[in-house]
Each structure stands twice: as structure tokens, then as C-alpha cells.
Amino acid sequence: MPYTYDDQNIFAKILRGEIPNATVLETEHSLAFRDIQPQAPVHVLVIPKGPYVCYDHFASEASDAEIVDFNRTISEVVKSEGLQEGGYRIISNAGEAGVQEVPHLHIHVLGGRVLGRMLQRAG
Ligand code: 5GP
């Protein structure tokens, strides 16, 4: 399925500097910043700077340099937030079934407490 990127989404506005953010780390191709409504003591969002809607869009169309940079940024956030020892969870929601709120790829990096089971069975 071809994805259409909406450049009016909130993370596009953050990348253009139109909306402030609490930056954790910025690299050539990626930005990591704190979630505005944290669900855990550590809740950082990592996004690519390029116009990718969701994970498979990015993984299929981004350059090797963007993909390496993005993954290394996630790793750096895990380390700099002190999550290696206690553990963490990374989540990326996509589309309707994934209940994706912002249509710009983002990885949630969560930690700082025991997070509970991944999903609740809903029937
Ligand atoms: P999704 O449901 O799309 O996976 O998650 C979107 C996330 O973006 C949510 O956790 C929400 O709290 C966060 N978010 C929404 N708007 C803003 C914003 O303006 N700034 C920041 N830092 N986070 C936001």
C-alpha cells in the first residue's frame, strides 16, 4: 500500500521548529524527545527526520544511512536514559488497528518501572 505523508502532523511541526519539544538527542537523521503525556518514568519518542508515516514505510523506503542512524539513536536513548540494566520496551503503533495517533513514524521508548504485560486480551 502506498503511504501518503501529511506534513501538517504534529511531529512534522516539531521537526520544523514550529512547536517546542524536550529534546533528548538529535542526530543527522533522527530526533528523540520526551512524550508530552508520559506513560512511564521514562517515555521518549524517537522519530526519523524524513517523511515516513509508519515503520514499514520507513523500513522499505528510507536510505541505509537513515535506518542505521534511527536504530543507533534508539540505542543511544536506551543507554543515556539508564534503561539497559532495568530493561525497557519499545513500541511503534501503525494505522487504525495499531491506534496510531500521529502519522509520522515514532518509536516509544518506555522504562523506569515494571511495565506489565504487553497487551491485554480483548476477546
Ligand atoms: P501514538 O498513539 O501515535 O503511537 O503516539 C503518539 C504520542 O505522541 C502519544 O504518546 C502522545 O502523548 C504524543 N504526543 C502528541 N502530541 C505531542 C506533542 O505535541 N509533543 C510531544 N512531545 N508528544 C506528543
Side-chain angles (χ1 to χ4, degrees):
M1 180 183 104
Y3 288 108
T4 304
Y5 182 79
D6 170 15
D7 69 3
Q8 293 307 305
N9 78 75
I10 200 98
F11 294 167
K13 292 178 180 177
I14 284 176
L15 285 168
R16 290 195 294 268
E18 296 166 13
I19 291 176
N21 73 91
T23 297
V24 172
L25 180 62
E26 180 167 10
T27 66
E28 182 180 3
H29 296 295
S30 309
L31 180 68
F33 55 97
R34 299 200 187 279
D35 196 292
I36 204 166
Q37 286 190 297
Q39 304 296 317
V42 175
H43 189 171
V44 175
L45 302 172
V46 184
I47 67 174
K49 291 183 177 177
Y52 303 104
V53 174
C54 59
Y55 193 86
D56 70 279
H57 188 206
F58 176 74
S60 63
E61 294 190 14
S63 67
D64 291 0
E66 289 176 296
I67 290 171
V68 169
D69 181 296
F70 186 62
N71 281 287
R72 291 267 158 76
T73 301
I74 294 167
S75 171
E76 286 304 317
V77 167
V78 166
K79 283 186 248 180
S80 67
E81 294 295 311
L83 299 179
Q84 280 185 313
E85 188 176 340
Y88 61 92
R89 180 172 295 156
I90 60 175
I91 299 171
S92 190
N93 299 315
E96 189 181 346
V99 195
Q100 181 179 10
E101 179 190 332
V102 180
H104 181 113
L105 169 61
H106 49 285
I107 299 284
H108 298 258
V109 180
L110 297 146
R113 66 169 169 81
V114 176
L115 296 163
R117 292 190 66 83
M118 186 170 69
L119 293 173
Q120 302 297 323
R121 188 178 290 274

mmCIF file with all atom_site columns, all heavy atoms in Angstrom, residues 31-43:
data_model
loop_
_atom_site.group_PDB
_atom_site.id
_atom_site.type_symbol
_atom_site.label_atom_id
_atom_site.label_alt_id
_atom_site.label_comp_id
_atom_site.label_asym_id
_atom_site.label_entity_id
_atom_site.label_seq_id
_atom_site.pdbx_PDB_ins_code
_atom_site.Cartn_x
_atom_site.Cartn_y
_atom_site.Cartn_z
_atom_site.occupancy
_atom_site.B_iso_or_equiv
_atom_site.pdbx_formal_charge
_atom_site.auth_seq_id
_atom_site.auth_comp_id
_atom_site.auth_asym_id
_atom_site.auth_atom_id
_atom_site.pdbx_PDB_model_num
ATOM 1   N N   . LEU A 1 31 ? 15.460 12.444 15.599 1.00 0.00 ? 31 LEU A N   1
ATOM 2   C CA  . LEU A 1 31 ? 15.254 13.299 16.771 1.00 0.00 ? 31 LEU A CA  1
ATOM 3   C C   . LEU A 1 31 ? 14.591 12.459 17.862 1.00 0.00 ? 31 LEU A C   1
ATOM 4   O O   . LEU A 1 31 ? 13.644 11.708 17.583 1.00 0.00 ? 31 LEU A O   1
ATOM 5   C CB  . LEU A 1 31 ? 14.334 14.475 16.397 1.00 0.00 ? 31 LEU A CB  1
ATOM 6   C CG  . LEU A 1 31 ? 14.017 15.465 17.510 1.00 0.00 ? 31 LEU A CG  1
ATOM 7   C CD1 . LEU A 1 31 ? 15.268 16.264 17.919 1.00 0.00 ? 31 LEU A CD1 1
ATOM 8   C CD2 . LEU A 1 31 ? 12.896 16.428 17.085 1.00 0.00 ? 31 LEU A CD2 1
ATOM 9   N N   . ALA A 1 32 ? 15.102 12.590 19.085 1.00 0.00 ? 32 ALA A N   1
ATOM 10  C CA  . ALA A 1 32 ? 14.496 11.924 20.243 1.00 0.00 ? 32 ALA A CA  1
ATOM 11  C C   . ALA A 1 32 ? 14.058 13.012 21.215 1.00 0.00 ? 32 ALA A C   1
ATOM 12  O O   . ALA A 1 32 ? 14.820 13.938 21.518 1.00 0.00 ? 32 ALA A O   1
ATOM 13  C CB  . ALA A 1 32 ? 15.501 10.993 20.905 1.00 0.00 ? 32 ALA A CB  1
ATOM 14  N N   . PHE A 1 33 ? 12.808 12.912 21.680 1.00 0.00 ? 33 PHE A N   1
ATOM 15  C CA  . PHE A 1 33 ? 12.271 13.927 22.600 1.00 0.00 ? 33 PHE A CA  1
ATOM 16  C C   . PHE A 1 33 ? 11.270 13.280 23.540 1.00 0.00 ? 33 PHE A C   1
ATOM 17  O O   . PHE A 1 33 ? 10.738 12.192 23.256 1.00 0.00 ? 33 PHE A O   1
ATOM 18  C CB  . PHE A 1 33 ? 11.632 15.082 21.815 1.00 0.00 ? 33 PHE A CB  1
ATOM 19  C CG  . PHE A 1 33 ? 10.565 14.671 20.828 1.00 0.00 ? 33 PHE A CG  1
ATOM 20  C CD1 . PHE A 1 33 ? 9.216  14.733 21.175 1.00 0.00 ? 33 PHE A CD1 1
ATOM 21  C CD2 . PHE A 1 33 ? 10.899 14.211 19.571 1.00 0.00 ? 33 PHE A CD2 1
ATOM 22  C CE1 . PHE A 1 33 ? 8.226  14.353 20.275 1.00 0.00 ? 33 PHE A CE1 1
ATOM 23  C CE2 . PHE A 1 33 ? 9.917  13.818 18.653 1.00 0.00 ? 33 PHE A CE2 1
ATOM 24  C CZ  . PHE A 1 33 ? 8.586  13.896 19.017 1.00 0.00 ? 33 PHE A CZ  1
ATOM 25  N N   . ARG A 1 34 ? 10.994 13.964 24.657 1.00 0.00 ? 34 ARG A N   1
ATOM 26  C CA  . ARG A 1 34 ? 10.112 13.388 25.672 1.00 0.00 ? 34 ARG A CA  1
ATOM 27  C C   . ARG A 1 34 ? 8.650  13.483 25.250 1.00 0.00 ? 34 ARG A C   1
ATOM 28  O O   . ARG A 1 34 ? 8.215  14.519 24.717 1.00 0.00 ? 34 ARG A O   1
ATOM 29  C CB  . ARG A 1 34 ? 10.326 14.077 27.027 1.00 0.00 ? 34 ARG A CB  1
ATOM 30  C CG  . ARG A 1 34 ? 11.748 13.893 27.488 1.00 0.00 ? 34 ARG A CG  1
ATOM 31  C CD  . ARG A 1 34 ? 11.996 14.091 28.945 1.00 0.00 ? 34 ARG A CD  1
ATOM 32  N NE  . ARG A 1 34 ? 13.437 14.031 29.161 1.00 0.00 ? 34 ARG A NE  1
ATOM 33  C CZ  . ARG A 1 34 ? 14.156 12.904 29.266 1.00 0.00 ? 34 ARG A CZ  1
ATOM 34  N NH1 . ARG A 1 34 ? 13.540 11.735 29.229 1.00 0.00 ? 34 ARG A NH1 1
ATOM 35  N NH2 . ARG A 1 34 ? 15.464 12.944 29.425 1.00 0.00 ? 34 ARG A NH2 1
ATOM 36  N N   . ASP A 1 35 ? 7.914  12.393 25.504 1.00 0.00 ? 35 ASP A N   1
ATOM 37  C CA  . ASP A 1 35 ? 6.476  12.391 25.224 1.00 0.00 ? 35 ASP A CA  1
ATOM 38  C C   . ASP A 1 35 ? 5.782  13.402 26.134 1.00 0.00 ? 35 ASP A C   1
ATOM 39  O O   . ASP A 1 35 ? 6.093  13.516 27.309 1.00 0.00 ? 35 ASP A O   1
ATOM 40  C CB  . ASP A 1 35 ? 5.899  10.984 25.441 1.00 0.00 ? 35 ASP A CB  1
ATOM 41  C CG  . ASP A 1 35 ? 4.530  10.824 24.819 1.00 0.00 ? 35 ASP A CG  1
ATOM 42  O OD1 . ASP A 1 35 ? 3.559  11.453 25.307 1.00 0.00 ? 35 ASP A OD1 1
ATOM 43  O OD2 . ASP A 1 35 ? 4.413  10.082 23.829 1.00 0.00 ? 35 ASP A OD2 1
ATOM 44  N N   . ILE A 1 36 ? 4.822  14.126 25.574 1.00 0.00 ? 36 ILE A N   1
ATOM 45  C CA  . ILE A 1 36 ? 4.142  15.179 26.331 1.00 0.00 ? 36 ILE A CA  1
ATOM 46  C C   . ILE A 1 36 ? 3.225  14.601 27.412 1.00 0.00 ? 36 ILE A C   1
ATOM 47  O O   . ILE A 1 36 ? 2.921  15.270 28.397 1.00 0.00 ? 36 ILE A O   1
ATOM 48  C CB  . ILE A 1 36 ? 3.359  16.094 25.348 1.00 0.00 ? 36 ILE A CB  1
ATOM 49  C CG1 . ILE A 1 36 ? 3.128  17.467 25.937 1.00 0.00 ? 36 ILE A CG1 1
ATOM 50  C CG2 . ILE A 1 36 ? 2.050  15.460 24.897 1.00 0.00 ? 36 ILE A CG2 1
ATOM 51  C CD1 . ILE A 1 36 ? 2.674  18.502 24.924 1.00 0.00 ? 36 ILE A CD1 1
ATOM 52  N N   . GLN A 1 37 ? 2.806  13.344 27.235 1.00 0.00 ? 37 GLN A N   1
ATOM 53  C CA  . GLN A 1 37 ? 1.971  12.669 28.245 1.00 0.00 ? 37 GLN A CA  1
ATOM 54  C C   . GLN A 1 37 ? 2.627  11.337 28.599 1.00 0.00 ? 37 GLN A C   1
ATOM 55  O O   . GLN A 1 37 ? 2.187  10.272 28.140 1.00 0.00 ? 37 GLN A O   1
ATOM 56  C CB  . GLN A 1 37 ? 0.563  12.418 27.699 1.00 0.00 ? 37 GLN A CB  1
ATOM 57  C CG  . GLN A 1 37 ? -0.293 13.664 27.620 1.00 0.00 ? 37 GLN A CG  1
ATOM 58  C CD  . GLN A 1 37 ? -1.737 13.320 27.319 1.00 0.00 ? 37 GLN A CD  1
ATOM 59  O OE1 . GLN A 1 37 ? -2.036 12.770 26.255 1.00 0.00 ? 37 GLN A OE1 1
ATOM 60  N NE2 . GLN A 1 37 ? -2.628 13.625 28.243 1.00 0.00 ? 37 GLN A NE2 1
ATOM 61  N N   . PRO A 1 38 ? 3.685  11.387 29.403 1.00 0.00 ? 38 PRO A N   1
ATOM 62  C CA  . PRO A 1 38 ? 4.462  10.173 29.652 1.00 0.00 ? 38 PRO A CA  1
ATOM 63  C C   . PRO A 1 38 ? 3.647  9.072  30.336 1.00 0.00 ? 38 PRO A C   1
ATOM 64  O O   . PRO A 1 38 ? 2.891  9.349  31.258 1.00 0.00 ? 38 PRO A O   1
ATOM 65  C CB  . PRO A 1 38 ? 5.617  10.657 30.536 1.00 0.00 ? 38 PRO A CB  1
ATOM 66  C CG  . PRO A 1 38 ? 5.182  11.978 31.083 1.00 0.00 ? 38 PRO A CG  1
ATOM 67  C CD  . PRO A 1 38 ? 4.228  12.566 30.099 1.00 0.00 ? 38 PRO A CD  1
ATOM 68  N N   . GLN A 1 39 ? 3.838  7.860  29.859 1.00 0.00 ? 39 GLN A N   1
ATOM 69  C CA  . GLN A 1 39 ? 3.139  6.691  30.411 1.00 0.00 ? 39 GLN A CA  1
ATOM 70  C C   . GLN A 1 39 ? 4.034  5.895  31.354 1.00 0.00 ? 39 GLN A C   1
ATOM 71  O O   . GLN A 1 39 ? 3.621  4.839  31.856 1.00 0.00 ? 39 GLN A O   1
ATOM 72  C CB  . GLN A 1 39 ? 2.678  5.780  29.264 1.00 0.00 ? 39 GLN A CB  1
ATOM 73  C CG  . GLN A 1 39 ? 1.806  6.466  28.237 1.00 0.00 ? 39 GLN A CG  1
ATOM 74  C CD  . GLN A 1 39 ? 0.484  6.950  28.821 1.00 0.00 ? 39 GLN A CD  1
ATOM 75  O OE1 . GLN A 1 39 ? -0.162 6.243  29.578 1.00 0.00 ? 39 GLN A OE1 1
ATOM 76  N NE2 . GLN A 1 39 ? 0.103  8.180  28.495 1.00 0.00 ? 39 GLN A NE2 1
ATOM 77  N N   . ALA A 1 40 ? 5.240  6.362  31.563 1.00 0.00 ? 40 ALA A N   1
ATOM 78  C CA  . ALA A 1 40 ? 6.208  5.676  32.429 1.00 0.00 ? 40 ALA A CA  1
ATOM 79  C C   . ALA A 1 40 ? 7.232  6.723  32.854 1.00 0.00 ? 40 ALA A C   1
ATOM 80  O O   . ALA A 1 40 ? 7.304  7.806  32.248 1.00 0.00 ? 40 ALA A O   1
ATOM 81  C CB  . ALA A 1 40 ? 6.880  4.531  31.662 1.00 0.00 ? 40 ALA A CB  1
ATOM 82  N N   . PRO A 1 41 ? 8.040  6.439  33.886 1.00 0.00 ? 41 PRO A N   1
ATOM 83  C CA  . PRO A 1 41 ? 9.053  7.423  34.305 1.00 0.00 ? 41 PRO A CA  1
ATOM 84  C C   . PRO A 1 41 ? 9.954  7.871  33.162 1.00 0.00 ? 41 PRO A C   1
ATOM 85  O O   . PRO A 1 41 ? 10.349 9.036  33.105 1.00 0.00 ? 41 PRO A O   1
ATOM 86  C CB  . PRO A 1 41 ? 9.825  6.668  35.396 1.00 0.00 ? 41 PRO A CB  1
ATOM 87  C CG  . PRO A 1 41 ? 8.814  5.718  35.969 1.00 0.00 ? 41 PRO A CG  1
ATOM 88  C CD  . PRO A 1 41 ? 7.977  5.285  34.805 1.00 0.00 ? 41 PRO A CD  1
ATOM 89  N N   . VAL A 1 42 ? 10.295 6.955  32.269 1.00 0.00 ? 42 VAL A N   1
ATOM 90  C CA  . VAL A 1 42 ? 10.991 7.321  31.025 1.00 0.00 ? 42 VAL A CA  1
ATOM 91  C C   . VAL A 1 42 ? 10.042 7.039  29.864 1.00 0.00 ? 42 VAL A C   1
ATOM 92  O O   . VAL A 1 42 ? 9.550  5.910  29.717 1.00 0.00 ? 42 VAL A O   1
ATOM 93  C CB  . VAL A 1 42 ? 12.298 6.521  30.828 1.00 0.00 ? 42 VAL A CB  1
ATOM 94  C CG1 . VAL A 1 42 ? 12.910 6.846  29.464 1.00 0.00 ? 42 VAL A CG1 1
ATOM 95  C CG2 . VAL A 1 42 ? 13.283 6.810  31.954 1.00 0.00 ? 42 VAL A CG2 1
ATOM 96  N N   . HIS A 1 43 ? 9.745  8.068  29.080 1.00 0.00 ? 43 HIS A N   1
ATOM 97  C CA  . HIS A 1 43 ? 8.914  7.888  27.875 1.00 0.00 ? 43 HIS A CA  1
ATOM 98  C C   . HIS A 1 43 ? 9.439  8.853  26.817 1.00 0.00 ? 43 HIS A C   1
ATOM 99  O O   . HIS A 1 43 ? 9.105  10.040 26.808 1.00 0.00 ? 43 HIS A O   1
ATOM 100 C CB  . HIS A 1 43 ? 7.441  8.154  28.179 1.00 0.00 ? 43 HIS A CB  1
ATOM 101 C CG  . HIS A 1 43 ? 6.529  7.790  27.046 1.00 0.00 ? 43 HIS A CG  1
ATOM 102 N ND1 . HIS A 1 43 ? 5.147  7.766  27.169 1.00 0.00 ? 43 HIS A ND1 1
ATOM 103 C CD2 . HIS A 1 43 ? 6.773  7.415  25.764 1.00 0.00 ? 43 HIS A CD2 1
ATOM 104 C CE1 . HIS A 1 43 ? 4.604  7.416  26.020 1.00 0.00 ? 43 HIS A CE1 1
ATOM 105 N NE2 . HIS A 1 43 ? 5.567  7.215  25.138 1.00 0.00 ? 43 HIS A NE2 1
#
